Amino acid sequence: ATNYENILVETRDNVALVTLNRPKALNALSSSLFHELNDALKKVDGDAAIGAIVLTGSERAFAAGADIKEMRESNYIDNYKSNFLGHWTFITSVRKPVIAAVNGFALGGGCELAMMCDIIYAGEKAVFGQPEIKLGTIPGAGGTQRLVKAVGKSKAMEMVLTGSFNLNAHEAERAGLVSKVFAPEVLVDEAVKTASKIASLSQPMVQMAKEAMNQSFEQSLANGLLFERRLFHSTFGTHDQREGMLAFVEKRKAKFNHN
Ligand code: CO8
């Protein structure tokens, strides 16, 4: 296993559990943390034994945002030339499902990172917010885009424009940002349970379904529907579709071989 300084990676059966681990900085997303995260995600995405990924932080903080101390002195032209934080988008190209298990603060880039995942589970003390405006900047990794779709325009506007209107776990669930809320101490186990359930299904089908749903954010409805239908057609070229439908008819559990 690779030794990382800012994250921990473990496998639980068919699930990879990645834990952000910069406790002293409330998991502020430094550039080296993100490079390690990307490296770990790349490895588990390519590991056939892993079917889904859980990303979590500590009970106090999922992540309190981009590392303010690291970026405070950077200037426009350097940001532009280095495409500063461009590598943050890597997680959105991971093909396996990623569940964010959010305890504590998910602020700024932390909220944006959670929204780059496919499913968000929250611990009861989770706090979601976009405080960038208070730092004299604006969200830079999807907060002005994904948040609008996740919680609707009025809530997203209020969060981003005031920087201090945060959502707690239950508010986030009601708004649709989060799918389930758990007690903090069971959150990660519950996320792993769901990830494991997903990982036990046909991996190519899971990935096609994820790919098709993600098109809904990118495409017109007509194009998205066409993309979906073509992928749906293609599932009939697989073993797992044959087996899944046969198992239904024979009233038994399907045995997927991911082909
Ligand atoms: N960056 C760097 N260090 C941080 C950060 C951060 N985002 N958040 C907390 N820390 C550090 C603190 O400086 C402190 O360090 P030290 O002990 O050395 O003083 C330590 O973590 C503990 O924090 P606090 O003492 O502040 O803990 P509190 O419990 O008092 O407060 C809060 C917790 C409310 C979470 C508070 O830490 C806070 O407000 N943090 C900043 C939150 C924030 O503004 N986040 C947004 C950052 S900007 C951003 O994310 C932009 C993303 C743009 C992406 C662009 C991609 C292209």
Side-chain angles (χ1 to χ4, degrees):
T2 319
N3 268 333
Y4 296 114
E5 275 173 34
N6 302 287
I7 62 170
L8 305 168
V9 183
E10 60 189 276
T11 36
R12 293 207 191 161
D13 195 15
N14 48 9
V15 174
L17 174 61
V18 180
T19 305
L20 306 178
N21 187 33
R22 262 192 99 195
K24 285 190 190 131
L26 301 183
N27 292 331
L29 303 164
S30 63
S31 160
S32 59
L33 181 151
F34 239 101
H35 281 295
E36 291 183 359
L37 175 62
N38 288 349
D39 184 71
L41 289 171
K42 193 169 175 198
K43 285 186 180 133
V44 296
D45 205 26
D47 180 346
I50 300 295
I53 300 158
V54 172
L55 177 63
T56 193
S58 68
E59 281 205 13
R60 188 137 179 259
F62 177 72
D67 191 323
I68 299 167
K69 292 165 189 166
E70 186 182 72
M71 70 182 159
R72 56 184 275 271
E73 307 220 44
S74 58
N75 62 38
Y76 168 70
I77 195 62
D78 291 341
N79 283 348
Y80 183 80
K81 287 206 276 191
S82 68
N83 196 19
F84 179 56
L85 304 185
H87 63 285
W88 279 35
T89 60
F90 177 79
I91 187 168
T92 64
S93 65
V94 169
R95 300 180 75 195
K96 291 173 183 169
V98 184
I99 302 181
V102 176
N103 264 321
F105 299 114
L107 298 177
C111 185
E112 292 171 309
L113 175 60
M115 290 192 291
M116 287 184 230
C117 299
D118 302 307
I119 295 173
I120 307 178
Y121 279 4
E124 258 147 13
K125 301 221 173 85
V127 178
F128 298 86
Q130 299 286 162
E132 288 90 342
I133 206 102
K134 293 197 291 187
L135 297 168
T137 183
I138 69 168
T144 68
Q145 306 297 307
R146 293 191 181 95
L147 191 63
V148 177
K149 296 201 165 100
V151 305
K153 174 174 160 177
S154 183
K155 280 198 171 66
M157 283 282 183
E158 195 166 346
M159 289 169 78
V160 172
L161 299 185
T162 68
S164 47
F165 176 63
N166 295 331
L167 300 183
N168 66 33
H170 291 290
E171 290 165 339
E173 185 189 20
R174 258 177 271 133
L177 177 63
V178 154
S179 59
K180 287 186 187 135
V181 178
F182 296 99
E185 61 279 8
V186 302
L187 172 71
V188 172
D189 287 343
E190 292 293 336
V192 170
K193 234 187 260 173
T194 299
S196 180
K197 195 183 286 177
I198 293 170
S200 72
L201 298 167
S202 169
Q203 287 188 29
M205 299 309 138
V206 164
Q207 290 176 24
M208 282 190 210
K210 166 172 167 166
E211 209 175 5
M213 280 187 277
N214 277 332
Q215 289 298 314
S216 73
F217 296 97
E218 313 288 346
Q219 301 251 6
S220 69
L221 180 60
N223 283 332
L225 289 171
L226 181 63
F227 185 89
E228 176 192 67
R229 193 182 324 129
R230 291 294 178 243
L231 276 181
F232 171 74
H233 291 162
S234 76
T235 66
F236 286 73
T238 67
H239 162 276
D240 285 352
Q241 175 275 331
R242 284 278 171 280
E243 165 59 14
M245 293 195 183
L246 181 63
F248 175 81
V249 172
E250 294 179 347
K251 299 186 190 297
R252 60 177 174 79
K253 196 169 186 296
K255 286 181 84 163
F256 296 121
N257 72 2
H258 312 296
N259 284 305

